[in-house]
Amino acid sequence: MTAESLHASATKLLETWSPATAPEASLREAMLAFLGSAPRGCLREHAPGHITASAVVFSHDGREVLLTLHPRVGRWIQLGGHCEPGDETVTDAALREATEESGIDGLVLDPELYGAQAHPITCSLGVPTRHLDLLFRVTAPAGAIPVRSHESTDLRWWPVDALPANAEVLLR
């Protein structure tokens, strides 16, 4: 991983993304401004905030979405996390995170940006920060059985039209 390759990939993803709504367009501009002022803004060490890689994992037929009950956040959310050594791009980080957190091999990631979100959080740095999530759509193979990792309180498939009440996930 290099700070430069991650920064370049995040910038390119945001520059080529066509947000669906005005709030997303505003968030896109804010994230680009952030990256313009933070050359190391894709690294966890950047305490004021950092780009994170998220994956909205759909079943092979698109009828279900895989969510994790995050122990720190306390809500059902998409899979994802920090960029790590070995991730050359944010896309690489999203696929790695989805595979690690789901236990599913053979996931297929759409390389176009699916969406973006910003969340205040106290992450592994131990201080309040902000996660600037770049989201990707990922499709699981038919018959995929998720295996919960140590990063999750629970992990399960949910029908896209019957999500849990406290779910926080972008669906299109």
Side-chain angles (χ1 to χ4, degrees):
M1 167 184 77
T2 67
E4 295 81 15
S5 70
L6 287 165
H7 190 280
S9 74
T11 301
K12 182 177 180 184
L13 284 163
L14 287 162
E15 286 176 344
T16 58
W17 179 41
S18 297
T21 66
E24 285 181 328
S26 179
L27 181 57
R28 174 188 176 270
E29 295 306 314
M31 287 181 164
L32 283 168
F34 165 79
L35 287 167
S37 66
R40 298 182 66 78
C42 293
L43 304 181
R44 177 190 327 231
E45 69 190 37
H46 193 267
H50 38 270
I51 297 291
T52 51
S54 291
V56 182
V57 179
F58 288 90
S59 60
H60 75 285
D61 58 8
R63 296 186 343 200
E64 296 178 306
V65 63
L66 185 62
L67 300 179
T68 179
L69 182 56
H70 195 281
R72 189 170 291 168
V73 177
R75 289 187 304 273
W76 290 95
I77 61 173
Q78 73 270 351
L79 310 181
H82 295 101
C83 298
E84 300 287 349
D87 299 328
E88 285 298 314
T89 66
V90 178
T91 306
D92 292 343
L95 184 56
R96 177 190 48 76
E97 285 284 344
T99 302
E100 287 176 359
E101 292 184 10
S102 71
I104 299 171
D105 290 323
L107 296 173
V108 177
L109 181 141
D110 181 338
E112 300 296 318
L113 196 58
Y114 180 74
Q117 297 175 325
H119 307 280
I121 190 168
T122 299
C123 68
S124 57
L125 293 173
V127 296
T129 186
R130 188 165 299 276
H131 279 180
L132 305 172
D133 287 338
L134 298 184
L135 284 78
F136 298 88
R137 182 183 175 101
V138 175
T139 303
I145 299 173
V147 178
R148 186 180 62 83
S149 76
H150 69 278
E151 297 181 44
S152 178
T153 301
D154 198 357
L155 178 73
R156 68 174 82 156
W157 292 108
W158 292 90
V160 295
D161 59 355
L163 298 178
N166 69 342
E168 186 176 320
V169 62
L170 177 67
L171 296 178
R172 298 193 190 284

